[in-house]
Amino acid sequence: MKFFRNISYKKNIAYLFSCAIFFVITSCEEDLTKNKGKQSKNFPSQIINNANIIQRDSGFVTMRAKAPIIEKYELIDSPYTVARKGIDIQFFDKKKPKIPGTIKAKYAKFYDYKKFYEAKGNVRITTNEGDKFAMQSIYWDQVKKNIYTKDTVYVTRKDGSTLIGAHGMRAKDDFSEYVFFQNSGDFAAPEISQNKK
């Protein structure tokens, strides 16, 4: 009789233990499904190593970009593309197609929907006219077609004259016009006399 009691007692313990495992597994599964909705989607959907990108408009090359690595984040609400290890861009104007302007920076980011670029870290811009700009950051609103920064901007013109915009600048994106804030500099005398006319 004791033998049968031990067996039924062990069956009851095994039954209770299996029920407990079932409820633990079920509750774990519910937690996993709840957490799946909260998982971050902010990871690159594409990674391009040693990127060499060419952009064309009606067959005309408008831009060439090189970067050690480019990451595209497309699975989030505001998709963007980032070059964390620097970028070197050549941009071409149809008026002077053989002489490109350049932009170099240690970091660059492009917001896809806003058509907005930012470049940071030792930013160097050379226009196709030969003017050189140096600053720590610059922003380009492609929709409004303007470029701006609040950093100090150092400019060396192709004639050797220099200009410093202590509180930044705003310019058209083709650098045909630009305004400096609290500027100072060293200009060539003939250029000043031409500007006064």
Side-chain angles (χ1 to χ4, degrees):
M1 199 74 164
K2 286 182 182 179
F3 179 70
F4 289 114
R5 283 183 188 168
N6 282 341
I7 291 174
S8 66
Y9 178 70
K10 288 180 182 177
K11 281 184 180 178
N12 287 340
I13 290 175
Y15 176 73
L16 289 173
F17 186 68
S18 62
C19 286
I21 289 174
F22 172 76
F23 286 115
V24 168
I25 290 172
T26 306
S27 63
C28 288
E29 284 179 6
E30 287 176 15
D31 290 341
L32 288 174
T33 56
K34 286 178 186 175
N35 289 336
K36 279 185 180 178
K38 296 178 184 177
Q39 285 180 347
S40 174
K41 294 180 181 176
N42 194 13
F43 57 87
S45 55
Q46 291 183 38
I47 299 173
I48 305 167
N49 290 306
N50 299 317
N52 188 5
I53 299 167
I54 298 173
Q55 186 177 43
R56 297 175 191 271
D57 181 14
S58 302
F60 175 74
V61 175
T62 56
M63 183 193 74
R64 287 184 185 179
K66 291 183 179 181
I69 186 167
I70 291 179
E71 299 170 327
K72 294 190 81 156
Y73 292 78
E74 300 171 301
L75 305 175
I76 55 175
D77 292 337
S78 299
Y80 63 91
T81 303
V82 65
R84 296 181 197 282
K85 294 187 177 181
I87 196 160
D88 185 350
I89 300 173
Q90 290 183 327
F91 53 93
F92 297 85
D93 186 359
K94 288 183 179 179
K95 295 173 187 173
K96 290 189 173 184
K98 293 184 179 179
I99 305 170
T102 61
I103 298 175
K104 295 180 182 182
K106 290 184 177 179
Y107 172 91
K109 191 172 187 179
F110 171 62
Y111 296 91
D112 296 352
Y113 291 146
K114 296 179 184 177
K115 302 286 185 197
F116 188 84
Y117 292 83
E118 66 180 56
K120 294 181 179 179
N122 205 21
V123 180
R124 299 290 180 262
I125 300 173
T126 304
T127 67
N128 59 4
E129 296 289 332
D131 297 334
K132 296 179 181 178
F133 297 77
M135 73 264 333
Q136 284 304 307
S137 67
I138 194 144
Y139 304 91
W140 175 26
D141 188 332
Q142 195 174 14
V143 175
K144 294 180 180 177
K145 296 188 174 185
N146 67 24
I147 292 175
Y148 62 91
T149 184
K150 292 184 179 179
D151 294 340
T152 301
V153 181
Y154 300 92
V155 184
T156 305
R157 306 284 310 270
K158 64 180 176 182
D159 63 3
S161 59
T162 59
L163 177 68
I164 299 171
H167 289 277
M169 75 166 194
R170 184 170 293 276
K172 285 189 175 181
D173 62 359
D174 62 356
F175 285 94
S176 59
E177 293 178 16
Y178 38 86
V179 176
F180 294 91
F181 304 106
Q182 288 193 355
N183 54 350
S184 62
D186 173 27
F187 294 94
E191 186 176 334
I192 293 172
S193 62
Q194 286 177 358
N195 289 337
K196 287 183 179 178
K197 291 180 182 178

